[in-house]
Amino acid sequence: MLQSLEALHTSGVYPKRDLTIVRGMGARVWDASGREYIDCVAGHGVANLGHCHPAVVAAVQKQAAQLITCPEIFHNDQRARLLALLTELAPGEMQRVFLCNSGAEAVEAALKFARISTGRSEIISTFRSFHGRTMGALTLTGQKKHRTPFEPLLPDVTQIPYNKTEALSAAISERTAAVILEVVQGEGGVRPADADYLRAAQRLCHENGTLLIFDEVQTGLGRTGKIFACEHYDLAPDMLCLAKSLAGGLPMGATLLGARVGTLPLGSHGSTFGGNPLTCAAALAVLAVLQAEKLPERAARLGEQLFDRLRAAHLPLVRAVRGQGLMIGIELKQKVTPLLQALQARGVLALPAGNTVLRLLPPLVISEVELEQVGEAVIEMLTGYQHAIN
Ligand SMILES: *Cc1c(COP(=O)(O)O)cnc(C)c1O
Protein backbone atom coordinates (compact mmCIF):
# COMPACT_ATOMS: atom_id res chain seq x y z
CA MET A 1 0.00 0.00 0.00
CA LEU A 2 2.67 2.53 1.02
CA GLN A 3 4.99 1.14 -1.69
CA SER A 4 2.40 1.77 -4.41
CA LEU A 5 1.68 5.21 -3.01
CA GLU A 6 5.38 6.09 -3.19
CA ALA A 7 5.70 4.54 -6.64
CA LEU A 8 2.85 6.72 -7.87
CA HIS A 9 4.38 10.01 -6.78
CA THR A 10 8.15 9.50 -6.86
CA SER A 11 10.27 11.42 -9.35
CA GLY A 12 11.33 8.21 -11.05
CA VAL A 13 15.07 8.83 -10.93
CA TYR A 14 15.84 5.99 -8.50
CA PRO A 15 15.85 2.27 -9.23
CA LYS A 16 13.84 1.10 -6.22
CA ARG A 17 14.08 -2.17 -4.35
CA ASP A 18 11.03 -4.04 -3.18
CA LEU A 19 11.61 -3.21 0.48
CA THR A 20 10.13 -0.63 2.84
CA ILE A 21 12.50 0.17 5.68
CA VAL A 22 10.86 1.67 8.72
CA ARG A 23 13.33 1.36 11.62
CA GLY A 24 17.04 1.05 12.30
CA MET A 25 19.35 0.41 15.25
CA GLY A 26 23.10 -0.09 15.09
CA ALA A 27 23.98 -2.17 12.03
CA ARG A 28 20.40 -3.44 11.58
CA VAL A 29 17.25 -2.20 9.90
CA TRP A 30 13.71 -3.58 9.90
CA ASP A 31 11.09 -3.63 7.15
CA ALA A 32 7.40 -2.88 7.53
CA SER A 33 6.60 -6.52 8.35
CA GLY A 34 9.24 -6.66 11.10
CA ARG A 35 11.85 -8.61 9.11
CA GLU A 36 15.44 -7.80 10.13
CA TYR A 37 18.41 -7.06 7.84
CA ILE A 38 22.10 -6.38 8.42
CA ASP A 39 22.59 -3.07 6.66
CA CYS A 40 25.74 -2.95 4.52
CA VAL A 41 24.18 -0.15 2.45
CA ALA A 42 24.18 2.11 5.51
CA GLY A 43 22.60 4.94 3.53
CA HIS A 44 25.35 4.73 0.87
CA GLY A 45 27.96 5.05 3.60
CA VAL A 46 26.11 7.63 5.69
CA ALA A 47 25.54 5.47 8.76
CA ASN A 48 29.17 4.99 9.84
CA LEU A 49 27.95 5.15 13.45
CA GLY A 50 25.06 2.82 12.66
CA HIS A 51 21.42 3.78 12.88
CA CYS A 52 20.13 5.91 15.74
CA HIS A 53 23.38 5.99 17.69
CA PRO A 54 22.29 7.12 21.19
CA ALA A 55 24.86 9.94 21.29
CA VAL A 56 23.61 11.35 17.96
CA VAL A 57 19.96 10.95 18.95
CA ALA A 58 20.59 12.75 22.25
CA ALA A 59 22.54 15.58 20.59
CA VAL A 60 19.83 16.10 17.95
CA GLN A 61 17.00 16.00 20.50
CA LYS A 62 18.75 18.49 22.75
CA GLN A 63 19.68 20.89 19.95
CA ALA A 64 16.25 20.62 18.29
CA ALA A 65 14.75 22.03 21.46
CA GLN A 66 17.40 24.77 21.66
CA LEU A 67 17.88 26.22 18.13
CA ILE A 68 17.44 24.53 14.74
CA THR A 69 18.21 27.28 12.26
CA CYS A 70 20.71 30.11 12.34
CA PRO A 71 22.20 31.41 9.08
CA GLU A 72 25.93 31.98 8.83
CA ILE A 73 25.47 35.77 8.90
CA PHE A 74 25.30 35.17 12.67
CA HIS A 75 27.73 33.30 14.89
CA ASN A 76 26.59 30.12 16.63
CA ASP A 77 28.02 28.08 19.50
CA GLN A 78 27.58 24.63 17.91
CA ARG A 79 29.07 25.78 14.60
CA ALA A 80 32.07 27.37 16.28
CA ARG A 81 32.81 24.14 18.18
CA LEU A 82 32.42 22.03 15.05
CA LEU A 83 34.72 24.22 12.95
CA ALA A 84 37.36 24.11 15.68
CA LEU A 85 37.18 20.32 15.97
CA LEU A 86 37.13 19.66 12.20
CA THR A 87 40.19 21.83 11.60
CA GLU A 88 41.97 20.22 14.53
CA LEU A 89 41.36 16.73 13.08
CA ALA A 90 42.13 17.72 9.48
CA PRO A 91 45.35 16.55 7.82
CA GLY A 92 48.08 19.18 7.37
CA GLU A 93 47.20 22.81 7.92
CA MET A 94 43.50 23.29 7.16
CA GLN A 95 42.17 26.15 9.23
CA ARG A 96 38.99 27.13 7.36
CA VAL A 97 35.82 25.24 6.42
CA PHE A 98 32.84 25.91 4.16
CA LEU A 99 29.76 24.10 5.47
CA CYS A 100 26.92 22.95 3.22
CA ASN A 101 24.41 20.11 2.93
CA SER A 102 25.70 17.38 0.61
CA GLY A 103 28.70 15.90 -1.11
CA ALA A 104 27.94 17.55 -4.44
CA GLU A 105 27.76 20.94 -2.76
CA ALA A 106 31.10 20.34 -1.02
CA VAL A 107 32.60 19.63 -4.46
CA GLU A 108 30.93 22.70 -6.02
CA ALA A 109 32.45 24.89 -3.32
CA ALA A 110 35.87 23.34 -4.00
CA LEU A 111 35.47 24.26 -7.70
CA LYS A 112 34.73 27.87 -6.86
CA PHE A 113 37.63 28.13 -4.41
CA ALA A 114 39.96 26.53 -6.98
CA ARG A 115 38.99 28.99 -9.71
CA ILE A 116 39.24 32.10 -7.55
CA SER A 117 42.44 31.04 -5.76
CA THR A 118 44.37 30.23 -8.92
CA GLY A 119 42.72 32.51 -11.48
CA ARG A 120 42.64 29.40 -13.71
CA SER A 121 39.68 27.40 -14.99
CA GLU A 122 41.15 24.01 -15.99
CA ILE A 123 40.30 21.07 -13.71
CA ILE A 124 41.56 17.50 -13.95
CA SER A 125 39.49 14.56 -12.72
CA THR A 126 39.63 10.83 -13.39
CA PHE A 127 37.72 8.13 -15.24
CA ARG A 128 35.34 6.09 -13.06
CA SER A 129 35.31 8.87 -10.45
CA PHE A 130 32.14 10.00 -8.73
CA HIS A 131 31.85 13.53 -7.39
CA GLY A 132 28.10 14.19 -7.36
CA ARG A 133 25.23 15.07 -9.67
CA THR A 134 24.92 18.86 -9.73
CA MET A 135 26.16 20.29 -13.02
CA GLY A 136 29.66 21.20 -11.82
CA ALA A 137 30.25 18.05 -9.78
CA LEU A 138 28.73 16.03 -12.63
CA THR A 139 31.26 17.48 -15.06
CA LEU A 140 34.03 16.10 -12.83
CA THR A 141 32.34 12.70 -12.52
CA GLY A 142 34.13 10.27 -14.83
CA GLN A 143 31.16 8.10 -15.78
CA LYS A 144 29.45 8.54 -19.14
CA LYS A 145 26.10 7.13 -18.01
CA HIS A 146 25.72 10.01 -15.54
CA ARG A 147 27.11 12.74 -17.82
CA THR A 148 25.92 12.12 -21.35
CA PRO A 149 22.20 12.90 -20.85
CA PHE A 150 23.05 16.36 -19.48
CA GLU A 151 25.69 17.65 -21.88
CA PRO A 152 26.90 20.30 -22.53
CA LEU A 153 28.58 20.52 -19.12
CA LEU A 154 31.29 22.83 -17.68
CA PRO A 155 34.15 23.71 -20.02
CA ASP A 156 37.85 23.10 -19.29
CA VAL A 157 37.51 19.79 -17.45
CA THR A 158 39.87 17.00 -18.51
CA GLN A 159 39.47 13.40 -17.48
CA ILE A 160 42.41 11.04 -17.27
CA PRO A 161 42.93 7.41 -16.20
CA TYR A 162 42.97 6.94 -12.39
CA ASN A 163 46.06 5.74 -10.55
CA LYS A 164 48.38 6.39 -13.53
CA THR A 165 51.09 8.91 -12.67
CA GLU A 166 52.24 9.32 -16.30
CA ALA A 167 48.72 10.33 -17.36
CA LEU A 168 48.58 12.97 -14.65
CA SER A 169 52.04 14.33 -15.34
CA ALA A 170 51.16 14.58 -19.06
CA ALA A 171 47.86 16.39 -18.39
CA ILE A 172 48.82 18.83 -15.62
CA SER A 173 50.30 22.23 -16.45
CA GLU A 174 50.54 25.76 -15.15
CA ARG A 175 47.04 26.27 -16.51
CA THR A 176 45.56 23.62 -14.19
CA ALA A 177 43.55 25.10 -11.32
CA ALA A 178 42.95 21.82 -9.49
CA VAL A 179 43.18 18.06 -9.57
CA ILE A 180 40.36 16.22 -7.81
CA LEU A 181 40.77 12.61 -6.67
CA GLU A 182 39.06 10.04 -4.50
CA VAL A 183 41.60 8.25 -2.30
CA VAL A 184 39.58 5.10 -2.93
CA GLN A 185 37.15 5.35 -5.85
CA GLY A 186 33.79 4.39 -4.37
CA GLU A 187 30.96 4.36 -6.89
CA GLY A 188 33.48 3.53 -9.61
CA GLY A 189 34.15 0.05 -8.22
CA VAL A 190 35.94 0.38 -4.84
CA ARG A 191 39.42 1.01 -6.28
CA PRO A 192 42.12 2.17 -3.87
CA ALA A 193 44.86 4.39 -5.33
CA ASP A 194 48.52 3.46 -4.82
CA ALA A 195 50.47 5.46 -2.25
CA ASP A 196 53.06 6.36 -4.92
CA TYR A 197 50.38 7.77 -7.21
CA LEU A 198 48.85 9.94 -4.50
CA ARG A 199 52.28 11.24 -3.45
CA ALA A 200 53.15 11.99 -7.08
CA ALA A 201 49.83 13.81 -7.48
CA GLN A 202 50.64 16.01 -4.50
CA ARG A 203 54.14 16.74 -5.83
CA LEU A 204 52.90 17.51 -9.36
CA CYS A 205 50.24 19.85 -7.98
CA HIS A 206 52.83 21.74 -5.94
CA GLU A 207 55.19 22.01 -8.92
CA ASN A 208 52.45 23.48 -11.12
CA GLY A 209 50.79 25.82 -8.62
CA THR A 210 47.74 23.55 -8.84
CA LEU A 211 45.42 22.78 -5.91
CA LEU A 212 44.93 19.16 -4.87
CA ILE A 213 41.36 18.30 -3.86
CA PHE A 214 40.57 15.01 -2.17
CA ASP A 215 36.95 14.00 -2.39
CA GLU A 216 36.59 12.04 0.85
CA VAL A 217 32.81 12.18 0.85
CA GLN A 218 32.72 8.36 0.99
CA THR A 219 36.17 7.51 2.40
CA GLY A 220 36.12 10.07 5.22
CA LEU A 221 35.05 9.74 8.85
CA GLY A 222 36.66 6.43 9.70
CA ARG A 223 35.42 4.29 6.83
CA THR A 224 38.85 3.18 5.58
CA GLY A 225 40.55 2.75 8.96
CA LYS A 226 41.64 6.37 9.55
CA ILE A 227 39.44 9.41 10.15
CA PHE A 228 40.47 10.57 6.65
CA ALA A 229 41.76 8.07 4.08
CA CYS A 230 44.60 10.40 3.02
CA GLU A 231 46.09 9.94 6.51
CA HIS A 232 47.17 6.41 5.49
CA TYR A 233 49.78 8.11 3.28
CA ASP A 234 50.58 11.21 5.32
CA LEU A 235 49.27 13.51 2.59
CA ALA A 236 48.14 17.11 2.91
CA PRO A 237 45.58 18.06 0.24
CA ASP A 238 44.66 21.71 -0.33
CA MET A 239 40.97 20.92 -0.06
CA LEU A 240 39.11 18.02 1.49
CA CYS A 241 35.45 17.39 0.65
CA LEU A 242 33.33 15.62 3.26
CA ALA A 243 29.65 14.75 3.55
CA LYS A 244 27.83 11.38 3.87
CA SER A 245 28.41 10.29 7.48
CA LEU A 246 29.61 13.68 8.78
CA ALA A 247 26.40 14.46 10.67
CA GLY A 248 25.32 10.89 11.39
CA GLY A 249 22.53 10.87 8.79
CA LEU A 250 21.49 14.51 8.82
CA PRO A 251 22.42 16.29 5.58
CA MET A 252 25.79 17.99 5.85
CA GLY A 253 28.74 18.63 3.58
CA ALA A 254 32.02 20.39 4.30
CA THR A 255 34.92 21.71 2.23
CA LEU A 256 38.07 21.99 4.33
CA LEU A 257 40.50 24.63 3.06
CA GLY A 258 44.28 24.54 3.29
CA ALA A 259 46.78 27.39 3.45
CA ARG A 260 47.28 27.57 -0.35
CA VAL A 261 43.56 28.23 -0.89
CA GLY A 262 42.55 31.88 -1.16
CA THR A 263 39.34 33.57 -0.08
CA LEU A 264 36.17 34.15 -2.10
CA PRO A 265 34.71 37.64 -2.36
CA LEU A 266 32.28 38.31 0.51
CA GLY A 267 28.80 37.08 -0.36
CA SER A 268 29.92 35.32 -3.56
CA HIS A 269 29.05 31.88 -2.20
CA GLY A 270 26.81 30.55 0.56
CA SER A 271 24.07 28.19 1.63
CA THR A 272 20.81 28.81 3.45
CA PHE A 273 20.97 25.60 5.45
CA GLY A 274 24.77 25.39 5.58
CA GLY A 275 26.22 25.26 9.10
CA ASN A 276 22.85 25.12 10.84
CA PRO A 277 23.05 24.38 14.59
CA LEU A 278 21.11 21.12 14.40
CA THR A 279 23.45 19.38 11.93
CA CYS A 280 26.49 20.96 13.61
CA ALA A 281 25.41 19.45 16.94
CA ALA A 282 24.92 16.06 15.24
CA ALA A 283 28.36 16.28 13.60
CA LEU A 284 29.99 17.15 16.93
CA ALA A 285 28.42 14.01 18.41
CA VAL A 286 29.62 11.95 15.43
CA LEU A 287 33.22 13.14 15.76
CA ALA A 288 33.18 12.56 19.53
CA VAL A 289 31.90 8.99 19.10
CA LEU A 290 34.37 8.23 16.27
CA GLN A 291 37.23 9.10 18.60
CA ALA A 292 35.84 7.71 21.88
CA GLU A 293 34.83 4.36 20.37
CA LYS A 294 37.99 4.23 18.18
CA LEU A 295 35.82 3.45 15.16
CA PRO A 296 38.55 4.01 12.53
CA GLU A 297 40.74 1.39 14.24
CA ARG A 298 37.74 -0.90 14.46
CA ALA A 299 37.05 -0.45 10.73
CA ALA A 300 40.66 -1.37 9.96
CA ARG A 301 40.59 -4.50 12.12
CA LEU A 302 37.14 -5.76 11.10
CA GLY A 303 37.76 -4.92 7.46
CA GLU A 304 40.84 -7.09 7.46
CA GLN A 305 38.92 -10.00 8.98
CA LEU A 306 36.22 -9.84 6.32
CA PHE A 307 38.81 -9.45 3.55
CA ASP A 308 40.74 -12.50 4.68
CA ARG A 309 37.57 -14.51 4.91
CA LEU A 310 36.35 -13.51 1.43
CA ARG A 311 39.75 -14.09 -0.17
CA ALA A 312 40.24 -17.44 1.56
CA ALA A 313 36.90 -18.69 0.21
CA HIS A 314 38.35 -18.79 -3.36
CA LEU A 315 34.94 -18.27 -4.90
CA PRO A 316 34.84 -19.07 -8.62
CA LEU A 317 32.46 -16.17 -9.33
CA VAL A 318 34.89 -13.67 -7.78
CA ARG A 319 37.56 -11.94 -9.83
CA ALA A 320 39.03 -9.82 -7.02
CA VAL A 321 38.36 -8.48 -3.53
CA ARG A 322 39.41 -4.85 -3.05
CA GLY A 323 39.11 -2.03 -0.59
CA GLN A 324 40.33 -0.46 2.59
CA GLY A 325 38.88 -0.80 6.10
CA LEU A 326 35.15 -1.39 5.96
CA MET A 327 34.87 -0.20 2.35
CA ILE A 328 34.88 -3.47 0.46
CA GLY A 329 34.31 -4.28 -3.19
CA ILE A 330 33.93 -7.79 -4.57
CA GLU A 331 34.51 -7.78 -8.32
CA LEU A 332 32.40 -10.49 -9.94
CA LYS A 333 32.53 -12.32 -13.23
CA GLN A 334 28.91 -11.39 -13.84
CA LYS A 335 26.32 -8.65 -13.30
CA VAL A 336 25.79 -7.79 -9.66
CA THR A 337 22.07 -6.89 -9.57
CA PRO A 338 20.58 -10.40 -9.19
CA LEU A 339 23.17 -11.18 -6.52
CA LEU A 340 22.11 -8.15 -4.48
CA GLN A 341 18.59 -9.55 -4.50
CA ALA A 342 19.83 -13.00 -3.46
CA LEU A 343 21.77 -11.41 -0.62
CA GLN A 344 18.75 -9.43 0.49
CA ALA A 345 16.79 -12.70 0.66
CA ARG A 346 19.48 -13.90 3.09
CA GLY A 347 18.99 -10.84 5.28
CA VAL A 348 21.93 -8.70 4.14
CA LEU A 349 21.58 -5.39 2.28
CA ALA A 350 24.48 -4.47 -0.01
CA LEU A 351 25.27 -2.05 -2.84
CA PRO A 352 26.59 -2.23 -6.36
CA ALA A 353 29.60 -0.16 -7.47
CA GLY A 354 29.29 -0.26 -11.23
CA ASN A 355 27.82 -3.27 -13.05
CA THR A 356 29.99 -6.06 -11.66
CA VAL A 357 31.17 -4.99 -8.21
CA LEU A 358 29.32 -5.90 -5.04
CA ARG A 359 30.03 -3.23 -2.44
CA LEU A 360 29.78 -3.60 1.32
CA LEU A 361 29.70 -0.46 3.49
CA PRO A 362 28.71 -1.83 6.91
CA PRO A 363 28.33 0.60 9.80
CA LEU A 364 31.66 0.79 11.65
CA VAL A 365 29.83 -0.20 14.85
CA ILE A 366 28.85 -3.57 13.36
CA SER A 367 29.52 -6.39 15.85
CA GLU A 368 32.00 -9.14 15.03
CA VAL A 369 29.14 -11.66 15.05
CA GLU A 370 27.11 -9.56 12.61
CA LEU A 371 30.12 -9.16 10.34
CA GLU A 372 30.67 -12.92 10.38
CA GLN A 373 27.04 -13.33 9.37
CA VAL A 374 27.65 -10.95 6.47
CA GLY A 375 30.72 -12.91 5.34
CA GLU A 376 28.83 -16.18 5.62
CA ALA A 377 25.80 -14.85 3.72
CA VAL A 378 27.98 -13.48 0.89
CA ILE A 379 29.97 -16.71 0.58
CA GLU A 380 26.89 -18.96 0.72
CA MET A 381 25.02 -16.78 -1.73
CA LEU A 382 27.91 -16.74 -4.24
CA THR A 383 28.47 -20.49 -3.83
CA GLY A 384 24.77 -21.24 -4.27
CA TYR A 385 24.59 -18.99 -7.31
CA GLN A 386 27.58 -20.72 -8.87
CA HIS A 387 25.89 -24.13 -8.42
CA ALA A 388 22.62 -22.83 -9.83
CA ILE A 389 24.22 -21.62 -13.07
CA ASN A 390 26.35 -24.79 -13.54
C1 LIG B 1 28.24 10.21 -2.60
C2 LIG B 1 29.40 10.92 -3.14
C3 LIG B 1 29.30 12.25 -3.61
C4 LIG B 1 27.99 12.99 -3.72
O1 LIG B 1 27.37 13.19 -2.49
P1 LIG B 1 25.85 13.71 -2.46
O2 LIG B 1 25.62 13.99 -1.01
O3 LIG B 1 24.98 12.60 -2.99
O4 LIG B 1 25.77 14.92 -3.29
C5 LIG B 1 30.45 12.89 -4.02
N1 LIG B 1 31.64 12.27 -3.99
C6 LIG B 1 31.77 11.00 -3.55
C7 LIG B 1 33.12 10.37 -3.51
C8 LIG B 1 30.66 10.28 -3.13
O5 LIG B 1 30.79 9.01 -2.73
Side-chain angles (χ1 to χ4, degrees):
M1 160 55 190
L2 284 175
Q3 269 188 25
S4 50
L5 191 64
E6 188 172 331
L8 193 62
H9 299 295
T10 186
S11 64
V13 302
Y14 299 101
K16 283 210 199 274
R17 302 189 194 183
D18 181 20
L19 180 61
T20 303
I21 298 175
V22 296
R23 186 162 71 87
M25 182 56 68
R28 290 166 198 250
V29 292
W30 285 265
D31 73 9
S33 70
R35 186 165 175 209
E36 180 178 296
Y37 298 85
I38 301 180
D39 185 14
C40 297
V41 169
H44 287 103
V46 164
N48 283 11
L49 266 58
H51 294 280
C52 299
H53 191 290
V56 177
V57 172
V60 169
Q61 283 176 338
K62 181 158 176 258
Q63 189 60 36
Q66 177 82 23
L67 183 67
I68 294 176
T69 192
C70 170
E72 283 228 27
I73 57 169
F74 301 111
H75 291 268
N76 174 259
D77 56 339
Q78 300 299 322
R79 189 191 305 129
R81 285 197 195 97
L82 177 63
L83 296 178
L85 185 53
L86 265 180
T87 53
E88 184 191 316
L89 294 173
E93 269 296 298
M94 310 190 99
Q95 288 302 317
R96 293 166 295 150
V97 184
F98 176 76
L99 292 172
C100 52
N101 316 286
S102 70
E105 280 176 80
V107 169
E108 295 288 343
L111 277 176
K112 284 191 173 176
F113 275 100
R115 279 198 177 189
I116 297 291
S117 296
T118 61
R120 309 171 182 177
S121 59
E122 289 188 14
I123 310 278
I124 295 175
S125 70
T126 59
F127 295 135
R128 289 204 176 108
S129 62
F130 187 84
H131 299 294
R133 299 169 188 275
T134 53
M135 296 303 267
L138 180 64
T139 309
L140 305 177
T141 292
Q143 301 183 40
K144 282 214 165 70
K145 67 169 187 238
H146 295 310
R147 295 159 48 93
T148 309
F150 301 104
E151 286 169 347
L153 298 169
L154 275 194
D156 295 348
V157 174
T158 308
Q159 274 157 358
I160 59 172
Y162 182 67
N163 210 19
K164 298 263 188 291
T165 303
E166 317 81 75
L168 181 55
S169 94
I172 198 170
S173 76
E174 291 187 350
R175 290 190 307 278
T176 313
V179 173
I180 183 164
L181 297 172
E182 291 158 274
V183 180
V184 182
Q185 285 190 332
E187 306 296 315
V190 189
R191 298 169 200 277
D194 295 328
D196 285 350
Y197 172 70
L198 295 169
R199 292 200 184 103
Q202 182 165 301
R203 178 177 50 78
L204 287 166
C205 282
H206 281 250
E207 285 170 7
N208 286 280
T210 299
L211 298 172
L212 178 61
I213 306 167
F214 282 153
D215 179 347
E216 292 228 30
V217 168
Q218 192 160 149
T219 53
L221 289 313
R223 172 62 57 194
T224 71
K226 300 272 187 193
I227 293 191
F228 306 112
C230 64
E231 291 177 277
H232 287 288
Y233 315 108
D234 200 20
L235 295 162
D238 297 297
M239 288 186 252
L240 191 62
C241 299
L242 302 175
K244 293 215 160 89
S245 77
L246 178 54
L250 271 64
M252 176 176 254
T255 311
L256 277 55
L257 307 166
R260 299 204 305 151
V261 180
T263 52
L264 296 187
L266 266 185
S268 64
H269 194 51
S271 163
T272 299
F273 291 122
N276 71 78
L278 187 66
T279 49
C280 287
L284 275 168
V286 166
L287 294 172
V289 170
L290 267 184
Q291 294 175 289
E293 297 186 10
K294 294 196 167 38
L295 293 182
E297 291 86 341
R298 184 180 174 79
R301 183 167 55 81
L302 294 189
E304 204 142 316
Q305 286 174 16
L306 185 55
F307 258 55
D308 290 349
R309 175 125 193 242
L310 291 170
R311 286 213 174 108
H314 296 295
L315 298 159
L317 270 182
V318 172
R319 218 182 277 285
V321 184
R322 290 190 297 263
Q324 207 170 23
L326 282 174
M327 181 172 180
I328 295 171
I330 306 169
E331 171 124 32
L332 303 162
K333 294 177 183 162
Q334 68 149 72
K335 290 232 155 80
V336 65
T337 313
L339 303 186
L340 292 173
Q341 283 155 8
L343 204 53
Q344 180 173 322
R346 287 173 185 272
V348 173
L349 304 180
L351 282 164
N355 289 330
T356 58
V357 176
L358 193 158
R359 179 171 39 147
L360 300 169
L361 297 176
L364 315 185
V365 297
I366 192 170
S367 73
E368 301 206 15
V369 173
E370 286 166 333
L371 197 69
E372 270 169 36
Q373 289 170 353
V374 170
E376 200 170 281
V378 169
I379 290 167
E380 278 180 19
M381 180 275 293
L382 288 173
T383 311
Y385 213 83
Q386 178 72 28
H387 288 166
I389 56 179
N390 277 346

